[in-house]
Amino acid sequence: MMVNSERQERSVKKHVTASVFLLLASLSSTALSGFADAASRRDTSGQTAPHLHPAATTANTAQGASLHGATHHKTVTGGAETLTVTTSRRRLHFTAAQHEADATTHITAETLTRQGGVSLLDLPRVAPNLTVQSVNGTGTTNFFLRGIGLNDYTQNNMSSVLVYYDDVAYPLARMASGLMFDIAGASVEPGPVGFSHGQTDTGGEIAFRTSDPTDEWHGGVSQDIASYARSRTNLFVSGPIVSDKLSFRIAGQTMQGGGWQTNPTNGAHLGDASLGALRAKLRWRPEEHTEIMLSGHWVQDDSEVVAAKPVINFLPSRPYPALSYQQAQWDYNTRLARLIGRSPTLSPSEHNTMWGADLKMTHDFGFATLKSISAFETERVGEYTDQDGTLWATGDNYRNIVANSFSQELRLESRRKQPLEWVVGAYYDRVRMTQQSFFDFTDHVPTRGYLQETSFGQNEQTFSQFAHLSYKLPYRVTLIGG
């Protein structure tokens, strides 16, 4: 009897252990199923769909696994119930890019947000070998990638490093200001570039991808607050107009504050941002193989610009102040105000309006995809800067710039994942620009002592063709030419 009771007790313990194991397996697999389902239901803007009850997510997880590649299945059987757990794991954000032989730096939208990227000047935080400089505290931006770039204050030459938004090249860097919001991702590619798309360039390119319209309703608002009372508000709304055919997306941003310079003479403050921007997209899919995307944007920038800090005094008749790095002095001559037609209380600042529109049409013929990109960009700039950083009128500058750009690209690209891949295309760009530059040298005596105006215009046309192909040989060897 003693032996029988011990055997019976061991049987009970085994039964309890098995029950606990099945219960834990059920709980773990249910949690994994809910997690996999939440990960598989993300829209293109990175928003996660609301979490559903695990019992309702079994079918969706199987579909999501087929989209994300590596999939693992495990079946747990306990009594009359069978539970199938499906999970997937994405090891890298840019899986396809890992199979391309290039030196491109790919950046996610989350990385830009985490590193505080709010303008083009913040890109060197996340992209190695990239230098972005604001010239004399102005909105003119110079780019250098791996040491190759162009230092041009007048902005009458195309930069050696081009900025792209959604496959549209911006030949004048200032046109791309204020558009870094509602970003889906970015890439920085060292030059030479232009063998498979867009404008050829020696230094490289910085390409941004903005979020596209979605077939389901999404919306969001974010607020970013930083030092010196700098605030940035982003918002977007996206959804369908006609199910599976027509959808839209509207996004915007405002940026205020952030000025860190003060005038020790009167306590005035300088450097606050005052920017607003909007972007709208309309996507139409008339049939399965055709997509048409119409986009437009508008930027108004009335931000203050920082003043220079004097280092060496070449004008002994006008003493230069000794200032800390957060201090600056500036002035504004009433005679200059009358000449340019601006307020006599104007402080160093921008008064810029940029807007543009582009039309992209894509059709899949089966063996290849044809893509057309038509774009028009324009800028109107009114900019006042105090370039001597003193109370004297020895280097004050006001600029008027009116410029526009029209570009057209036509590209035919073969199907992906074939032994032979190829792309051929052509690109055309036309730029028109006029510029006025006023300098106030009235206190620069005895050598100058006058007001100066310089005006010029420049027209430019670019026409280029490109062809690029690759052929895959055995043993993972690929021949590339273009």
Side-chain angles (χ1 to χ4, degrees):
M1 293 298 294
M2 192 66 175
V3 173
N4 291 337
S5 63
E6 289 179 356
R7 290 179 179 177
Q8 186 175 6
E9 182 179 359
R10 291 175 183 174
S11 177
V12 171
K13 289 182 179 179
K14 290 180 180 180
H15 177 71
V16 172
T17 303
S19 301
V20 172
F21 172 78
L22 288 175
L23 177 59
L24 291 175
S26 300
L27 291 174
S28 301
S29 57
T30 302
L32 286 174
S33 177
F35 176 80
D37 179 57
S40 65
R41 291 178 288 111
R42 288 181 176 268
D43 74 326
T44 57
S45 65
Q47 302 296 320
T48 305
H51 179 69
L52 302 177
H53 192 277
T57 61
T58 305
N60 291 334
T61 53
Q63 181 181 2
S66 65
L67 297 175
H68 294 290
T71 307
H72 307 278
H73 301 276
K74 184 175 181 180
T75 302
V76 180
T77 304
E81 180 182 4
T82 300
L83 181 64
T84 300
V85 180
T86 303
T87 63
S88 62
R89 182 177 64 177
R90 181 181 296 174
R91 294 178 175 85
L92 300 168
H93 287 286
F94 305 96
T95 304
Q98 303 304 316
H99 302 279
E100 297 179 4
D102 58 28
T104 304
T105 300
H106 297 276
I107 308 166
T108 64
E110 292 79 6
T111 299
L112 283 173
T113 302
R114 186 171 60 251
Q115 297 297 327
V118 298
S119 70
L120 294 172
L121 296 174
D122 299 322
L123 284 180
R125 300 179 185 177
V126 294
N129 303 315
L130 175 66
T131 301
V132 184
Q133 298 174 337
S134 173
V135 183
N136 297 341
T138 67
T140 299
T141 306
N142 289 333
F143 300 91
F144 295 87
L145 186 55
R146 288 185 172 179
I148 301 176
L150 177 67
N151 187 3
D152 182 21
Y153 168 67
T154 59
Q155 198 182 346
N156 61 345
N157 294 284
M158 184 182 297
S159 173
S160 300
V161 179
L162 280 180
V163 177
Y164 285 77
Y165 276 93
D166 295 328
D167 292 332
V168 175
Y170 289 74
L172 302 179
R174 189 189 292 265
M175 289 181 172
S177 301
L179 295 176
M180 220 171 104
F181 63 97
D182 199 33
I183 299 296
S187 61
V188 178
E189 181 178 359
V193 294
F195 300 109
S196 60
H197 68 278
Q199 173 69 52
T200 56
D201 219 344
T202 55
E205 65 183 35
I206 303 169
F208 292 95
R209 301 180 308 280
T210 62
S211 299
D212 287 335
T214 56
D215 294 328
E216 297 179 354
W217 285 100
H218 295 279
V221 179
S222 64
Q223 179 70 40
D224 175 19
I225 300 175
S227 56
Y228 301 103
R230 197 271 290 159
S231 66
R232 181 180 187 236
T233 304
N234 287 347
L235 56 89
F236 78 94
V237 61
S238 178
I241 299 176
V242 178
S243 180
D244 298 330
K245 293 291 184 181
L246 190 64
S247 56
F248 79 99
R249 187 182 189 94
I250 298 176
Q253 78 159 346
T254 63
M255 191 180 303
Q256 306 291 328
W260 50 272
Q261 281 190 327
T262 56
N263 190 332
T265 304
N266 54 21
H269 192 72
L270 187 66
D272 282 336
S274 178
L275 181 144
L278 289 173
R279 181 186 295 115
K281 288 187 175 184
L282 186 66
R283 182 173 62 189
W284 179 37
R285 294 168 175 164
E287 50 93 15
E288 182 180 359
H289 303 289
T290 303
E291 180 178 297
I292 299 174
M293 181 87 77
L294 177 64
S295 304
H297 62 266
W298 167 86
V299 177
Q300 182 63 45
D301 187 4
D302 295 319
S303 303
E304 296 176 337
V305 300
V306 296
K309 180 182 178 181
V311 178
I312 301 177
N313 186 2
F314 291 102
L315 191 65
S317 62
R318 303 294 181 183
Y320 274 19
L323 304 173
S324 69
Y325 78 97
Q326 285 185 307
Q327 292 180 332
Q329 291 182 345
W330 59 91
D331 69 300
Y332 184 52
N333 196 322
T334 55
R335 288 169 293 184
L336 177 62
R338 290 195 298 268
L339 180 62
I340 64 178
R342 296 294 299 273
S343 169
T345 60
L346 182 67
S347 61
S349 60
E350 306 281 355
H351 183 58
N352 308 336
T353 303
M354 284 84 70
W355 62 271
D358 58 81
L359 178 65
K360 303 182 185 69
M361 296 181 288
T362 305
H363 182 77
D364 186 359
F365 291 100
F367 73 95
T369 300
L370 179 65
K371 188 170 187 178
S372 170
I373 305 174
S374 307
F376 179 80
E377 304 292 335
T378 184
E379 67 174 13
R380 298 183 66 90
V381 175
E383 176 184 75
Y384 169 59
T385 57
D386 190 315
Q387 297 185 9
D388 55 34
T390 70
L391 296 175
W392 315 115
T394 57
D396 303 340
N397 176 236
Y398 186 85
R399 290 198 296 171
N400 281 321
I401 304 175
V402 178
N404 63 71
S405 168
F406 170 77
S407 63
Q408 173 64 53
E409 180 177 351
L410 199 62
R411 185 166 74 226
L412 186 64
E413 187 173 0
S414 69
R415 295 177 59 186
R416 294 285 187 176
K417 298 182 179 180
Q418 301 294 320
L420 177 64
E421 297 181 4
W422 51 267
V423 56
V424 295
Y427 179 84
Y428 170 78
D429 178 62
R430 185 215 67 197
V431 178
R432 300 286 186 266
M433 184 196 55
T434 60
Q435 185 171 158
Q436 285 180 299
S437 184
F438 301 89
F439 279 95
D440 186 357
F441 297 121
T442 53
D443 288 334
H444 201 291
V445 291
T447 55
R448 294 185 180 180
Y450 53 79
L451 294 170
Q452 172 184 308
E453 178 194 359
T454 302
S455 300
F456 62 91
Q458 180 169 299
N459 298 330
E460 175 189 346
Q461 289 191 89
T462 303
F463 184 62
S464 59
Q465 308 83 39
F466 53 84
H468 186 268
L469 60 87
S470 63
Y471 186 75
K472 297 179 180 178
L473 299 175
Y475 304 105
R476 297 184 177 181
V477 176
T478 302
L479 296 179
I480 301 174

